Amino acid sequence: MKLTDFLIKLTKIDRRVIYLILAAVVILPLIFPTVERVRVMEPVEKLFNAVDTIPPHKALIIDFDYEPQTQPELEPMGIALLRHAFARHIKVLILSLYVQPLGLAQKALTQVTEEFNSEATSRADSIIYGRDYVFLGWQPPPLIPMLGMGVSITNVYQHDYYGNKTDTLEIMQGIKNYNDIALLVSLSGSSLPKSWVAYSQNRFGVAVAAGVTAVSAADFYQFYQTGQFTGLMTGMKGGAEYEEMVESKLGIKKKRKASEALPSLTYAHLVIIIFIIIGNIGYFIKRRSK
Amino acid sequence: MSISTAPWVWISALLSIAILSFLYRDNPLYKFAEHLFIGVANGYAVTFYWHNILVPALFDPLFRQGKLLYIIPFIIGLLYFTRFIPKISWLVRIPIGITIGYYVGASIPASIQAYIIKQIQGTILTPYNFQTWNAGTMGVIWSVILFIGVLCTLSYFYFSKAHKGILGTTSRVGIIFVMIGFGAAFGYTVMARISLLIGRLQFLLGDWLGIIH
């Protein structure tokens, strides 16, 4: 068989064979993990620095807005952010603008608080609900909390996710509205980070950063370039970069789901690039032979 | 290897495999898992709306605490259901009109400021723009590339004049920028889809089968 015939034959390969090859290159690095250096890019570094420099009298809002479809990319970002904030004893306000993310936000919160509390030696070291963080829950439609929190957070969220009156919680004593918020990070698979910019930043001047899925990353970079986003994490790579910062700067050595996935991601990309090249060569040979 | 004994992990794993079976071909298992997911998600949302929003924010104040002012949003909300009564279905325009009016009023000034004015500012070549971009030594070069790229891309979408002469050249350069944009978007899409596959496999191989830790 001539090489050209072989290449043309390759273009007709069954898609299920490609799926199998992809599955193999994704699964093998997970079973036999290799060390891959994570290079931290500027958008993530800026976000890390913005969180790191939050003063004690101000708070961080994390908008957990990922659903099961986008959880693998965005959950590592949320967990790394929580680890960073709790390690620095930054006050954290958690919310979701849709229903489905509520359970996932609670899962991430439970995991990180348990991590910290299992190593705490005193009450001061512990992460305590109502003192160090509050889960505000859900208040639809998204426009209401985005605009309403500029006036009063406890008016928009009169009760937290667990039914407690928010104005009775210790953490909320010094936090009235966006003036007391140093940074708002939106972790979302939709266009919600842009809405935070349009309604909350534009009107009330609160600093906004985002953690977004890779598929929507191209839509968000221009907002980082204009300075409308203080920092930006994109896809699993963005999550891995933040995990790297948390481990190298704060010395927190915990499970890094995004970083562990990077070798699989790299090999899968290589395989896809090879298939694209083979497909294109076959296409041009076929066109020339006609 | 330590296989999970938790029933919910098993249910999640079997449903994940059912969804992934679509890669082979469309089949009843996939359809079952897909319908179950949509049904559960909607059921969860409806009950959450009822217990966390409608009851505490509308029904309790109106019917238990006697706050009569709440009758106005209650009636306006009810008008949505007139859609099912052909004779008075036109009344549905009232709540729709209020909702659209509220959103349009809130979003027009915000969108113009955030999506148009700020983005144009980010494209204009000014000393301030160069400083705030803070892209290191390559900042100036990238600013110029961005400026040229935006102008050429816009010229490609200008259809009131034939694409000849200068407009022909700029529009051809514009196509290159558009293609680079599409390429970046495609690359990110591949990354996102593979990431989702990795996430599922981490669950199947880790939480379910216990092969990875």
Side-chain angles (χ1 to χ4, degrees):
Chain A
M1 189 190 284
K2 277 165 43 182
L3 180 69
T4 50
D5 293 339
F6 175 69
L7 284 167
I8 290 170
K9 209 170 183 182
L10 271 184
T11 61
K12 289 173 186 161
I13 196 168
D14 191 329
R15 70 177 200 285
R16 280 166 285 209
V17 176
I18 298 173
Y19 292 151
L20 271 178
I21 296 168
L22 259 179
V25 295
V26 169
I27 290 170
L28 288 174
L30 289 175
I31 297 174
F32 307 105
T34 50
V35 180
E36 191 163 299
R37 195 171 143 250
V38 182
R39 273 183 61 193
V40 181
M41 309 298 274
E42 191 190 89
V44 175
E45 197 177 354
K46 277 194 171 177
L47 174 57
F48 182 90
N49 292 337
V51 174
D52 213 47
T53 51
I54 291 176
H57 62 281
K58 293 220 173 189
L60 165 73
I61 292 181
I62 307 178
D63 166 26
F64 277 79
D65 262 314
Y66 54 84
E67 298 180 345
Q69 306 93 299
T70 50
Q71 183 189 1
E73 287 184 279
L74 301 174
E75 191 180 57
M77 298 179 190
I79 287 172
L81 266 171
L82 285 173
R83 282 174 183 159
H84 186 187
F86 289 160
R88 287 271 187 251
H89 285 286
I90 295 164
K91 293 173 195 162
V92 187
L93 280 63
I94 311 289
L95 57 94
S96 299
L97 296 177
Y98 293 111
V99 180
Q100 277 197 37
L102 287 167
L104 298 176
Q106 195 185 14
K107 178 176 167 267
L109 270 172
T110 308
Q111 181 192 322
V112 181
T113 48
E114 277 176 5
E115 276 174 18
F116 275 81
N117 289 341
S118 64
E119 290 170 5
T121 50
S122 67
R123 190 178 155 80
D125 289 347
S126 306
I127 301 301
I128 296 170
Y129 186 80
R131 185 192 74 181
D132 301 302
Y133 72 102
V134 59
F135 187 14
L136 293 172
W138 173 63
Q139 183 65 56
L143 202 58
I144 300 295
M146 282 176 179
L147 293 173
M149 287 198 296
V151 180
S152 170
I153 295 172
T154 50
N155 262 5
V156 176
Y157 294 96
Q158 293 185 5
H159 295 90
D160 67 5
Y161 182 69
Y162 306 105
N164 306 305
K165 277 196 72 103
T166 46
D167 55 10
T168 62
L169 297 171
E170 187 186 338
I171 187 173
M172 298 308 290
Q173 301 312 312
I175 301 168
K176 192 174 176 250
N177 52 33
Y178 284 139
N179 291 334
D180 306 306
I181 303 300
L183 183 68
L184 187 153
V185 186
S186 173
L187 304 175
S188 174
S190 68
S191 63
L192 277 174
K194 288 188 206 172
S195 301
W196 281 113
V197 169
Y199 298 112
S200 306
Q201 184 186 77
N202 199 34
R203 187 144 174 203
F204 301 100
V206 65
V208 175
V212 298
T213 54
V215 71
S216 60
D219 293 338
F220 290 101
Y221 265 105
Q222 64 261 39
F223 288 87
Y224 171 71
Q225 182 247 319
T226 54
Q228 287 166 289
F229 283 153
T230 305
L232 182 65
M233 290 184 280
T234 51
M236 211 163 231
K237 172 77 167 60
E241 288 173 36
Y242 207 95
E243 285 175 345
E244 173 67 27
M245 290 288 280
V246 169
E247 188 171 307
S248 61
K249 301 271 179 184
L250 305 174
I252 298 173
K253 289 188 193 298
K254 299 283 177 197
K255 189 165 176 60
R256 294 168 49 172
K257 254 189 160 173
S259 308
E260 286 165 9
L262 279 192
S264 298
L265 202 60
T266 309
Y267 299 135
H269 273 79
L270 283 173
V271 165
I272 288 167
I273 289 168
I274 290 166
F275 276 123
I276 289 173
I277 291 169
I278 290 171
N280 276 283
I281 291 171
Y283 168 76
F284 282 114
I285 290 171
K286 216 157 66 178
R287 203 168 69 164
R288 192 175 284 178
S289 63
K290 270 182 187 173
Chain B
M1 186 171 158
S2 54
I3 298 174
S4 170
T5 51
W8 284 113
V9 172
W10 271 84
I11 291 168
S12 309
L14 294 176
L15 287 172
S16 297
I17 291 167
I19 289 283
L20 288 170
S21 69
F22 185 78
L23 290 173
Y24 181 69
R25 68 173 177 214
D26 200 2
N27 62 75
L29 269 179
Y30 166 76
K31 283 202 171 91
F32 168 75
E34 186 191 30
H35 288 94
L36 185 71
F37 174 71
I38 292 167
V40 168
N42 280 318
Y44 182 65
V46 167
T47 48
F48 217 94
Y49 257 106
W50 178 263
H51 291 292
N52 288 49
I53 303 299
L54 282 174
V55 171
L58 181 64
F59 296 143
D60 274 353
L62 180 61
F63 298 117
R64 285 192 184 168
Q65 296 158 19
K67 292 179 179 172
L68 291 176
L69 208 60
Y70 281 71
I71 196 85
I72 298 169
F74 179 63
I75 290 170
I76 292 171
L78 277 182
L79 289 179
Y80 269 112
F81 292 99
T82 60
R83 195 78 185 84
F84 301 111
I85 310 165
K87 274 189 180 173
I88 53 165
S89 63
W90 60 272
L91 283 170
V92 78
R93 292 174 193 160
I94 295 170
I96 290 175
I98 291 170
T99 310
I100 292 175
Y102 175 76
Y103 273 93
V104 169
S107 70
I108 285 179
S111 301
I112 290 173
Q113 181 67 25
Y115 304 152
I116 299 176
I117 295 175
K118 283 276 183 188
Q119 290 299 311
I120 291 173
Q121 280 176 351
T123 314
I124 294 170
L125 291 174
T126 62
Y128 174 78
N129 183 250
F130 281 45
Q131 288 157 15
T132 51
W133 193 357
N134 195 21
T137 49
M138 291 292 284
V140 177
I141 296 163
W142 283 117
S143 289
V144 174
I145 290 171
L146 184 78
F147 178 74
I148 294 168
V150 170
L151 288 187
C152 291
T153 306
L154 286 174
S155 77
Y156 172 72
F157 290 101
Y158 184 74
F159 300 120
S160 300
K161 202 172 178 291
H163 286 190
K164 290 175 189 167
I166 294 174
L167 193 63
T169 312
T170 54
S171 62
R172 243 171 271 136
V173 176
I175 292 172
I176 295 168
F177 277 94
V178 170
M179 289 302 156
I180 292 169
F182 285 156
F186 176 71
Y188 272 125
T189 306
V190 170
M191 184 169 150
R193 301 302 174 229
I194 297 293
S195 299
L196 300 189
L197 174 65
I198 292 169
R200 242 359 25 212
L201 288 172
Q202 279 178 329
F203 168 75
L204 291 173
L205 298 173
D207 299 9
W208 183 40
L209 296 176
I211 296 171
I212 59 170
H213 297 283

